[in-house]
Amino acid sequence: MRTIKSKGQGQALSEATNSANALNDQTHRLPSLVLQASDEPLTVIEPSGTWNAINLRELWTYRELLYFLIWRDVKIRYKQTVLGAAWAIIQPLFTMLVFTLIFSRVAGISSEGIPYPLFAYAGLLPWIFFANAVTTSGNSLVVSANLITKVYFPRLLIPAAAVGAGVVDFAVAFVMLIPLMIYYHATLTLSVFLLPIPIVLTVLLTLAVGIWLSALNVKYRDVRFAVPFMMQFWMFLSPVAYPSSALPQRWQLLYSLNPAVGIIEGFRASLLGQPLKWTNMGISTFVTLGLLLYASLLFRKMEKKFADII
Amino acid sequence: MKAIIRATSIAKEYPLGASQNSYVTLRESLSAAVRSPLKRFKANQPAETIMALRDVSFEVSSGEVVGIIGRNGAGKSTLLKVLSRITEPSSGRIELYGRIASLLEVGTGFHPELSGRENIYLNGAILGMTRAEIRQKFEEIIAFSEIEKFIDTPVKRYSSGMYLRLAFAVAAHLDPEILLVDEVLAVGDASFQRKCLDKMEDVTQAGRTVIFVSHNMPAITRICPRTILLEAGTVAFDGSSPEAVRRYLGSGMGTNAFREWKNIDDAPGNEIVRLCSIRVRTEDGQVCESIDIRSPVGLDMEFEVLEAGRVLVPNYYFINQEGVCAFGASEHDPEWRRRPRPTGRYLSTAWIPGNFLSEGTLIVSAAISTMDPVIIHFFERDIVAFQIIDSLDGNSARGDYAGPMPGIVRPMLTWTSQFTPSNSSPKLGGSTI
């Protein structure tokens, strides 16, 4: 390049175009796939309708970016902290201690024959993952404003990555369960093989709520303030600190419409060898999938305005 | 040649004021709904919108390098955003026959806490590279960035120069069929800018299709054979770059030396101050595009202060044909120095002395700023232009030399000379003859 610059401008320019032309001639001469492929546009940009399908194939082609976004979130989460990843354990552990003191000792809530600390920890594990991941996921789009206005990729990856990073914390906190179970002489039963079902449901429910809130947050910044409240209320409406059997029978059906009910109960039951309530699990699955579908479609609808209003 | 980009009458409409107050709170939405409950049922409500792009059509062939120029707000960035799918067009259709990558900023997604190495992977993935691709080009990227030693240091400890070099190194190794580039070259020091330009030329020679948005006219004419000129969201010209640049500088009032905004709401500025007009003139008040090198050049800036109480400093930047900034200058009228301005209309004139600038075209950018705290109320690039002409009658600094003379300035220096004749025993010679 430096040699060309010493020549006249026009000359450099014509040389540049000549070599570009030469290269194109080459591609024309080859009966290559490139030419065949370029008969159909690779991408068409058009104003889309109000409701759009979720483009799963596109999400799949961007899976590596999802991986990198999760990896980034995990890497930076505990940078410049003294305790590092121990925070993932401290949060459920100390909440468990407080719950044990208040609900078990003071309020005398029963825990279906399971030692209360173990009961609470098994409920807090999925709940804290859910609450934290929903919060970070709900803020994720607003925090990534610079990405959204500068480069294209499926926006769904942003809230999804925030949930993905939460899974790592969940795994760390899960490890703490082992000494607890040994200490309280809890025995595993065959139902532990069902554990993946409530875990997958937890992740899906987190995705649904996170995606929904993140999209709303772009337009209504109230979300940021509403989420902590919402999570607090939701926790007391879910069997985290108490068993659902503590509720009168006539409220059970309404109660189980909260998708967290079946999930948390299922998680605890398959871990601690209690009988599973399949009806509640079924309702939770149904509600979770419905929420996820609705949230994704709403997200797709709002997505095209993100860059303009964020 | 085969078209790789085909854009058919694309338009983009923004709700007015979308750039400020971009998000609403729920309360605002609710109160708006309460105030006019029927609003959403009224058909074709004439909402206040601004057309950032209208009826823009063009085709780009494979391997072509196309520049896009236009004034602030002409729609250049919007066009790039639509092409790169960051925002959707309101109508129209674009067909892309190749993999596209956009470079609207260097270092998009860089995280200050991550190391250089980690950021290469992250940024590469965000720009659309696969992990295998990044791994394959990793050594090359590090070599290009010249920061091998600091590759495992968090980028927050980098100097801004190192940061830019690393960011550009990643971007320079993108390998799409179509590359969209926006003014990334406007950052960094001169040597870095040259490196970027060289790389851009490499890319264009490799047969890549490139769309290049810039305010750097010399770079545009050097890199792009063809340029699209946007004016108020439409294609005003599409053709050879020198012609596009000429039209761009000449757009406005038919002369490059005068520009005026009749409607104050469209004028550059904000709620505090707005620009009314800019003119280049001679001492006798004539608007003039070509000025003799020996005469002073006056630049009138007329502006209206809409909100009293701020110290406002008009300033100019003068850029020559090579894209080099000759100098900048701020107003220093003692009357208004550090003094808040009352509302009203002002005319501020700067005089460039005669026998100061070199011959050639100078492009003027104008701004009004407040220094403490720093607020730039507007910064209009390439607002007017004028030519300095050096007549060859021997009265300027070039004297009787008629060849090309380099240099940004051509001052008349004060020359003194002392004469000592040879054979300093003069009386002797005289008497002998």
Side-chain angles (χ1 to χ4, degrees):
Chain A
M1 282 328 310
R2 282 175 183 78
T3 52
I4 280 178
K5 253 199 295 177
S6 59
K7 294 176 194 164
Q9 265 188 21
Q11 202 183 338
L13 217 63
S14 68
E15 266 191 37
T17 37
N18 279 345
S19 62
N21 288 346
L23 219 123
N24 276 306
D25 287 347
Q26 264 176 16
T27 46
H28 275 283
R29 256 181 261 123
L30 298 166
S32 62
L33 279 169
V34 184
L35 265 182
Q36 281 171 11
S38 60
D39 286 344
E40 275 284 299
L42 198 70
T43 319
V44 174
I45 304 170
E46 266 182 320
S48 51
T50 318
W51 298 98
N52 301 295
I54 303 144
N55 194 340
L56 288 175
R57 191 200 292 177
E58 196 189 27
L59 287 177
W60 177 247
T61 57
Y62 279 92
R63 65 192 181 279
E64 283 199 348
L65 181 55
L66 177 67
Y67 163 80
F68 275 115
L69 290 175
I70 294 175
W71 170 81
R72 174 196 67 176
D73 285 353
V74 170
K75 274 241 157 187
I76 62 181
R77 175 159 303 170
Y78 297 114
K79 280 265 159 106
Q80 271 199 18
T81 59
V82 178
L83 297 176
W87 278 112
I89 295 176
I90 292 169
Q91 220 190 338
L93 199 64
F94 277 74
T95 317
M96 176 201 83
L97 291 177
V98 172
F99 276 16
T100 309
L101 200 69
I102 296 174
F103 293 105
S104 177
R105 293 285 152 80
V106 180
I109 282 176
S110 88
S111 48
E112 298 179 325
I114 297 164
Y116 187 84
L118 192 57
F119 173 88
Y121 196 82
L124 281 165
L125 264 185
W127 178 262
I128 284 183
F129 158 71
F130 174 71
N132 284 348
V134 161
T135 310
T136 48
S137 178
N139 284 324
S140 60
L141 283 177
V142 175
V143 171
S144 313
N146 67 321
L147 282 185
I148 291 174
T149 53
K150 294 294 179 202
V151 67
Y152 175 79
F153 54 85
R155 306 311 188 197
L156 264 173
L157 296 187
I158 297 177
V163 174
V167 173
V168 177
D169 276 1
F170 176 72
V172 173
F174 197 92
V175 173
M176 187 62 207
L177 199 61
I178 298 168
L180 268 179
M181 288 183 74
I182 295 171
Y183 181 82
Y184 287 106
H185 304 291
T187 42
L188 289 176
T189 60
L190 276 179
S191 60
V192 78
F193 291 108
L194 296 172
L195 196 57
I197 301 174
I199 290 180
V200 168
L201 280 177
T202 313
V203 174
L204 290 182
L205 181 65
T206 313
L207 269 177
V209 182
I211 286 170
W212 179 62
L213 288 176
S214 68
L216 280 187
N217 201 0
V218 173
K219 197 165 180 195
Y220 304 106
R221 299 289 154 92
D222 305 76
V223 168
R224 201 175 7 178
F225 305 106
V227 168
F229 280 118
M230 193 178 110
M231 284 299 136
Q232 215 158 25
F233 286 128
W234 199 338
M235 184 180 82
F236 289 114
L237 290 176
S238 310
V240 179
Y242 57 89
S244 61
S245 57
L247 262 83
Q249 189 59 41
R250 59 198 162 101
W251 291 106
Q252 290 289 347
L253 185 67
L254 186 67
Y255 184 66
S256 65
L257 285 179
N258 169 5
V261 171
I263 294 174
I264 292 172
E265 276 182 343
F267 185 83
R268 196 182 270 141
S270 48
L271 201 64
L272 304 175
Q274 293 171 299
L276 261 81
K277 294 179 187 158
W278 288 104
T279 347
N280 282 3
M281 283 277 272
I283 297 174
S284 290
T285 312
F286 192 71
V287 174
T288 299
L289 291 181
L291 276 178
L292 185 60
L293 186 70
Y294 168 73
S296 319
L297 287 175
L298 183 80
F299 189 94
R300 289 281 293 162
K301 180 183 171 224
M302 296 183 74
E303 177 178 45
K304 56 192 153 213
K305 292 258 166 65
F306 285 170
D308 301 342
I309 61 177
I310 203 160
Chain B
M1 212 180 289
K2 197 152 187 74
I4 194 161
I5 303 175
R6 185 176 291 136
T8 325
S9 57
I10 41 178
K12 176 70 187 177
E13 202 172 4
Y14 281 111
L16 206 58
S19 50
Q20 301 111 20
N21 297 331
S22 54
Y23 60 85
V24 286
T25 61
L26 193 60
R27 188 172 59 87
E28 284 163 359
S29 290
L30 287 178
S31 65
V34 168
R35 244 181 275 126
S36 50
L38 291 177
K39 196 170 162 187
R40 60 171 64 200
F41 300 111
K42 284 183 195 160
N44 297 330
Q45 166 105 359
E48 275 198 285
T49 57
I50 187 163
M51 293 293 279
L53 289 176
R54 66 184 104 201
D55 200 24
V56 172
S57 302
F58 59 91
E59 261 187 37
V60 177
S61 305
S62 175
E64 233 185 331
V65 180
V66 180
I68 294 181
I69 57 175
R71 299 194 179 281
N72 290 345
K76 305 183 298 289
S77 306
T78 309
L79 181 59
L80 271 197
K81 282 188 175 176
V82 169
L83 281 175
S84 54
R85 297 167 72 198
I86 290 165
T87 185
E88 249 184 22
S90 308
S91 65
R93 180 185 166 92
I94 301 164
E95 287 167 17
L96 301 172
Y97 295 85
R99 212 160 72 105
I100 195 162
S102 56
L103 209 48
L104 270 52
E105 169 191 77
V106 285
T108 305
F110 260 43
H111 199 285
E113 297 282 353
L114 296 178
S115 72
R117 179 189 305 276
E118 290 162 340
N119 269 309
I120 291 178
Y121 276 96
L122 180 63
N123 187 232
I126 287 172
L127 293 175
M129 286 195 237
T130 63
R131 212 181 333 171
E133 240 179 302
I134 303 168
R135 202 175 297 135
Q136 183 200 332
K137 290 179 178 163
F138 192 75
E139 295 304 319
E140 234 179 292
I141 292 174
I142 295 180
F144 189 87
S145 68
E146 302 165 14
I147 53 149
E148 289 94 336
K149 259 192 277 172
F150 307 100
I151 198 65
D152 289 311
T153 311
V155 298
K156 67 177 174 185
R157 310 215 191 285
Y158 282 21
S159 70
S160 56
M162 286 159 64
Y163 183 94
L164 273 179
R165 280 207 300 277
L166 180 67
F168 189 81
V170 181
H173 289 82
L174 273 177
D175 210 12
E177 281 129 359
I178 310 165
L179 186 62
L180 307 175
V181 187
D182 187 13
E183 291 252 70
V184 278
L185 307 173
V187 288
D189 54 25
S191 75
F192 177 72
Q193 286 195 22
R194 199 165 315 120
K195 193 168 174 176
C196 298
L197 271 180
D198 287 351
K199 187 73 196 175
M200 283 283 299
E201 284 191 292
D202 282 348
V203 165
T204 61
Q205 294 211 327
R208 206 81 54 74
T209 309
V210 182
I211 301 233
F212 179 40
V213 169
S214 181
H215 273 113
N216 186 340
M217 296 304 141
I220 286 270
T221 43
R222 187 172 122 196
I223 296 176
C224 318
R226 169 184 162 200
T227 292
I228 295 172
L229 169 63
L230 288 179
E231 255 170 37
T234 56
V235 176
F237 178 78
D238 183 353
S240 84
S241 293
E243 176 64 14
V245 171
R246 204 185 62 72
R247 287 191 189 218
Y248 168 63
L249 293 175
S251 61
M253 304 297 295
T255 165
N256 297 346
F258 176 58
R259 260 171 73 82
E260 160 174 54
W261 286 264
K262 292 229 167 64
N263 183 355
I264 197 150
D265 296 323
D266 300 336
N270 52 17
E271 64 284 353
I272 294 158
V273 59
R274 295 238 182 226
L275 182 62
C276 305
S277 72
I278 296 257
R279 103 189 67 217
V280 183
R281 66 176 174 97
T282 56
E283 271 176 310
D284 51 11
Q286 291 254 293
V287 172
C288 199
E289 211 176 323
S290 306
I291 294 169
D292 190 285
I293 197 166
R294 291 162 295 187
S295 319
V297 182
L299 276 137
D300 287 346
M301 185 193 293
E302 250 189 305
F303 57 93
E304 177 122 21
V305 174
L306 305 169
E307 199 182 299
R310 285 202 177 57
V311 180
L312 298 172
V313 187
N315 46 87
Y316 289 120
Y317 292 89
F318 297 87
I319 292 132
N320 73 4
Q321 283 153 299
E322 279 78 47
V324 176
C325 181
F327 61 95
S330 297
E331 187 194 64
H332 65 124
D333 182 347
E335 206 188 324
W336 294 108
R337 194 174 143 84
R338 296 184 186 161
R339 186 178 144 199
R341 305 226 187 200
T343 54
R345 212 173 171 92
Y346 295 78
L347 174 65
S348 172
T349 307
W351 287 102
I352 303 168
N355 277 320
F356 171 68
L357 284 167
S358 181
E359 69 195 302
T361 301
L362 278 156
I363 303 163
V364 185
S365 300
I368 288 188
S369 8
T370 297
M371 297 307 167
D372 190 22
V374 176
I375 305 164
I376 296 165
H377 301 288
F378 66 82
F379 175 54
E380 274 293 290
R381 291 164 188 269
D382 314 335
I383 224 172
V384 283
F386 59 94
Q387 262 184 319
I388 298 287
I389 292 158
D390 196 352
S391 55
L392 295 170
D393 52 14
N395 287 331
S396 64
R398 76 158 50 240
D400 287 323
Y401 171 67
M405 267 179 91
I408 293 172
V409 291
R410 195 171 297 171
M412 274 293 245
L413 303 180
T414 308
W415 292 80
T416 56
S417 37
Q418 282 186 342
F419 175 60
T420 312
S422 46
N423 294 332
S424 48
S425 44
K427 303 277 157 35
L428 197 74
S431 60
T432 43
I433 293 172

